[in-house]
Amino acid sequence: MKTLGSLQKTLNLYDPNIANIFLPWACRHPKYLRSFFRLRRSYLTSEKIRKGHLKEGVKIPPFLILSVTSKCNLKCNGCYASAAGTVTHQQTTAKPTLKLHQWMKIIKEASEIGVFGFVVAGGEPFLYPHLIDIFTTFKHRFFIVITNGTLLKKEDYKTLKKLGNIAIIVSIEGNDLLTDNRRGTGVFEKAMNTLQQLNTVGVINGVSVTITRTNYDYWTKEENIDHLIEQGIRVGIFIEHIPTTAEKQDHDLMLTNEERNMFRKQMLNYRETKSIYIVHSPGDEEFFGGCISAGRGFAHITPAGDLTPCPVSSIATHNLTTSTLLEGFASPLFKRIRESEHLLETEGMPCALFAHPKEVEELAQSVGAYKTDMNLK
Ligand SMILES: C[S@@+](CC[C@H](N)C(=O)[O-])C[C@H]1O[C@@H](n2cnc3c(N)ncnc32)[C@H](O)[C@@H]1O
Ligand code: SF4
């Protein structure tokens, strides 16, 4: 009882919703309580380290997004990672991808300077052959894997459960029709089977949904959120579609202002009334005073080790094979994005940097940034 109380106190520091949703879950899966305590200790330590760096003038984010692979087995419509050149369907990439020992070095440095959690994306993370090695090596860090859910093997479930420091988030778009239309035939069924397996074994899981004009209506209907909850899903990440190409059909997927306002209202309503932890981008940026990229809340590393402000922006000044993370976070590129109130404003768009293409281009030129596209040398 005492231990649960102390855990609740820590989770409340971050967000009371987390305690309300995950403590009942942890009680049903007591093995996770030990992991929670281990992670709670490292959360508090890493927070202290970050505060120390801030006093020295360097902002370290609590989270890093790692695109561990440029490979993907799907070709989803409007995928930002394909447009940014983080994902490529070529056999080889022009830029060399990081080796396991290089990822290990980066994650070690990140942990030492106060990064607490890692969002693992890509490409498709389960195509990266050393994923489990990373989770095993960094037991004191929390990993959130965003996956298309089509490639998990039987043995993966048991390992993930045993490690206890990983949440698996499976991307869907809505029902079978909506999902398969964007992601390919048969993907919905595979993704839902994966979620079911994760629930049966007892691995924290959730869904990630790109909100477009095609599926926002589906997700504003309460019965569809209730259906997720009934299936044991406890995290819902809703990211509004960011057009990343010049194509009209890509831009047509973006919500109108009216739809965005309505959707935001419903997300806030779900957050108050449903037993599922809701993350909504860009809506949640209002809690943080604007966009949280460039180290304010997170930053992104490409499969080649380039440090970019976020997964959608494909510019960098530092590659982590030759620079440290600390140097990257202190760079003029990151500092100037963080310090520009104007650049951090979404201005009714799904992404702040996307809302200011001219200013971002000028900034990139003035700090000598290069393109991180894996297809370019
Ligand atoms: C790029 S994927 C990488 C991980 C994995 N391959 C997957 O699909 O889950 C990460 C998330 O970004 C979402 N996404 C892709 N393109 C997007 C876009 N243009 N705007 C917003 N979200 C997008 C995907 O639906 C997925 O949930
Ligand atoms: S599975 Fe993920 S990375 Fe692959 S194309 Fe789809 S959204 Fe992009």
Side-chain angles (χ1 to χ4, degrees):
M1 235 13 216
K2 206 172 144 208
T3 43
L4 276 181
S6 114
L7 187 57
Q8 178 152 27
K9 225 164 108 188
T10 315
L11 292 175
N12 281 346
L13 284 177
Y14 182 64
D15 184 339
N17 270 344
I18 296 194
N20 295 341
I21 292 163
F22 292 107
L23 280 186
W25 190 91
C27 292
R28 281 201 310 280
H29 303 279
K31 201 195 156 297
Y32 263 93
L33 281 175
R34 215 174 322 136
S35 311
F36 272 142
F37 279 105
R38 194 173 62 224
L39 294 173
R40 168 185 176 258
R41 269 196 302 278
S42 49
Y43 177 78
L44 296 174
T45 314
S46 57
E47 196 179 38
K48 216 163 134 188
I49 299 173
R50 288 199 303 278
K51 281 185 182 156
H53 283 289
L54 198 56
K55 278 193 192 141
E56 305 288 313
V58 187
K59 175 96 178 87
I60 308 290
F63 281 90
L64 261 184
I65 303 174
L66 314 176
S67 285
V68 288
T69 177
S70 58
K71 293 191 178 137
C72 191
N73 57 324
L74 302 183
K75 284 187 180 169
C76 308
N77 296 334
C79 167
Y80 72 76
S82 302
T86 302
V87 167
T88 165
H89 291 92
Q90 318 283 353
Q91 277 298 317
T92 53
T93 52
K95 286 183 204 277
T97 53
L98 293 183
K99 307 256 185 319
L100 175 62
H101 73 91
Q102 292 171 309
W103 278 118
M104 292 285 198
K105 190 165 167 261
I106 292 168
I107 299 170
K108 183 168 177 285
E109 192 212 344
S111 307
E112 285 166 359
I113 62 174
V115 176
F116 166 69
F118 297 87
V119 177
V120 184
E124 171 46 41
F126 281 94
L127 280 173
Y128 182 65
H130 309 295
L131 206 53
I132 300 292
D133 296 325
I134 292 178
F135 304 153
T136 314
T137 306
F138 296 96
K139 288 201 182 72
H140 291 81
R141 286 293 173 275
F142 186 47
F143 293 90
I144 300 167
V145 184
I146 318 276
T147 170
N148 63 34
T150 61
L151 297 172
L152 276 82
K153 296 189 285 297
K154 220 174 169 183
E155 57 271 25
D156 291 332
Y157 298 101
K158 281 198 188 125
T159 315
L160 293 169
K161 157 99 186 191
K162 201 169 123 208
L163 288 169
N165 58 340
I166 306 131
I168 302 286
I169 307 295
V170 178
S171 296
I172 56 168
E173 311 299 334
N175 58 16
D176 50 351
L177 247 153
L178 289 164
T179 304
D180 289 4
N181 261 345
R182 186 164 198 226
R183 301 196 144 248
T185 310
V187 172
F188 180 76
E189 197 184 337
K190 284 184 187 158
M192 293 315 285
N193 278 341
T194 297
L195 283 162
Q196 198 188 7
Q197 289 290 326
L198 292 165
N199 268 324
T200 308
V201 177
V203 177
I204 296 183
N205 63 81
V207 296
S208 169
V209 182
T210 305
I211 297 299
T212 65
R213 299 201 69 194
T214 323
N215 67 355
Y216 97 102
D217 194 35
Y218 178 92
W219 290 109
T220 48
K221 292 197 173 98
E222 291 207 18
E223 72 235 36
N224 293 324
I225 277 284
D226 291 340
H227 186 55
L228 281 188
I229 299 166
E230 277 156 26
Q231 292 176 80
I233 293 160
R234 290 290 172 269
V235 182
I237 301 178
F238 296 90
I239 308 170
E240 289 177 26
H241 176 76
I242 304 164
T244 41
T245 65
E247 283 168 33
K248 185 178 176 302
Q249 61 186 46
D250 195 12
H251 285 254
D252 285 348
L253 288 173
M254 186 170 73
L255 299 190
T256 62
N257 281 343
E258 198 186 329
E259 287 163 348
R260 176 162 306 118
N261 292 339
M262 226 178 83
F263 191 74
R264 178 66 185 155
K265 250 194 207 155
Q266 190 60 312
M267 287 293 111
L268 291 173
N269 168 33
Y270 290 162
R271 193 169 282 160
E272 289 296 310
T273 58
K274 306 285 180 194
S275 316
I276 181 165
Y277 188 72
I278 300 277
V279 177
H280 173 213
S281 173
D284 290 351
E285 288 174 3
E286 71 191 31
F287 302 133
F288 303 98
C291 167
I292 55 169
S293 74
R296 286 187 84 227
F298 63 76
H300 168 244
I301 304 173
T302 71
D306 291 317
L307 180 68
T308 75
C310 85
V312 181
S313 76
S314 51
I315 48 169
T317 52
H318 286 70
N319 181 283
L320 300 174
T321 57
T322 48
S323 305
T324 64
L325 264 174
L326 209 52
E327 287 164 346
F329 291 141
S331 67
L333 173 65
F334 273 47
K335 270 193 144 172
R336 282 174 54 187
I337 294 176
R338 284 197 303 259
E339 286 164 8
S340 163
E341 271 181 34
H342 174 62
L343 272 185
L344 298 174
E345 248 310 314
T346 45
E347 321 218 10
M349 291 285 181
C351 159
L353 298 183
F354 166 78
H356 304 97
K358 246 180 87 189
E359 290 96 325
V360 172
E361 181 61 39
E362 278 164 18
L363 171 60
Q365 277 191 15
S366 72
V367 296
Y370 58 88
K371 285 265 168 216
T372 58
D373 192 322
M374 295 295 292
N375 301 305
L376 305 171
K377 257 244 176 292

